[in-house]
Amino acid sequence: MKLLVTAIFLMFFSAAALSAPPEMLNVKIGAVFPVKAKNHETHKNGRPTIQFRVPNSGVTKEVFPEYEVTILRDGYEVAIITARKSFFDIKSCGDSQTKALAWLKKVIPNPKLDSDGHTYIDSNVNTFATLSCSYKGASPFPELQLQFRGVAQDEKLNKAWAHAFK
């Protein structure tokens, strides 16, 4: 009986812990992703990263219903967070880009726009971001993309990929 009660208790609290996915702005570059990746120990295919999509929650879900995380296999820290959404027209994309810029400023408090016109940096923080609303490839639909990366994590990614291709 005690074993049954323990099993029910664990199932209840495990389900409660996963009742909502992490909101994109609450995932921190350089930190361990708040939900453990499945089978990451048994599927080491030589890649130095783990990537998966996450259903979004919170205020950013309005524009980005999901996002993707790239996690460094060595240390399991989040290296890249990418959210994308296609729009029917450029005006809708631009309107959502304005919202996304406000969210970006919550992660990077004093962003400076780089000369490329879509990279936001703050030399006082590790995280930088790119934000763009543009047509990709041959698509007739504009795409809004918001991506957060870490300076230190990019260095680790470059080293890890160089090692993987030796």
Side-chain angles (χ1 to χ4, degrees):
M1 180 68 172
K2 185 177 180 182
L3 182 61
L4 179 61
V5 171
T6 302
I8 292 170
F9 178 80
L10 288 174
M11 286 185 340
F12 174 78
F13 280 102
S14 294
L18 295 176
S19 63
E23 202 267 341
M24 180 176 65
L25 296 180
N26 293 334
V27 177
K28 304 296 181 212
I29 296 292
V32 174
F33 190 72
V35 181
K36 186 177 179 182
K38 295 178 83 69
N39 301 323
H40 67 275
E41 292 297 298
T42 58
H43 292 95
K44 290 188 176 183
N45 55 8
R47 295 176 56 95
T49 61
I50 302 165
Q51 291 177 282
F52 52 87
R53 290 179 180 220
V54 181
N56 202 359
S57 62
V59 68
T60 58
K61 183 179 180 179
E62 174 189 341
V63 173
F64 301 113
E66 66 180 17
Y67 59 95
E68 182 178 281
V69 292
T70 301
I71 297 171
L72 289 163
R73 199 176 286 281
D74 182 26
Y76 304 107
E77 65 186 274
V78 175
I80 305 170
I81 302 165
T82 307
R84 293 181 181 93
K85 184 176 179 182
S86 295
F87 290 85
F88 184 70
D89 59 60
I90 197 75
K91 181 181 179 336
S92 300
C93 187
D95 292 345
S96 291
Q97 183 177 14
T98 301
K99 291 178 187 177
L101 180 58
W103 299 328
L104 181 153
K105 290 177 180 180
K106 291 180 181 181
V107 176
I108 304 172
N110 298 304
K112 305 287 185 262
L113 188 59
D114 199 24
S115 60
D116 67 5
H118 64 268
T119 302
Y120 293 83
I121 56 174
D122 179 345
S123 59
N124 296 319
V125 296
N126 178 55
T127 303
F128 65 97
T130 58
L131 177 62
S132 64
C133 176
S134 60
Y135 292 92
K136 307 285 185 194
S139 175
F141 305 104
E143 179 182 278
L144 177 63
Q145 178 176 302
L146 173 59
Q147 184 175 77
F148 294 101
R149 301 179 74 107
V151 175
Q153 287 68 35
D154 272 4
E155 289 176 15
K156 290 177 184 179
L157 277 170
N158 289 336
K159 287 178 186 175
W161 280 110
H163 181 70
F165 287 115
K166 274 187 176 180

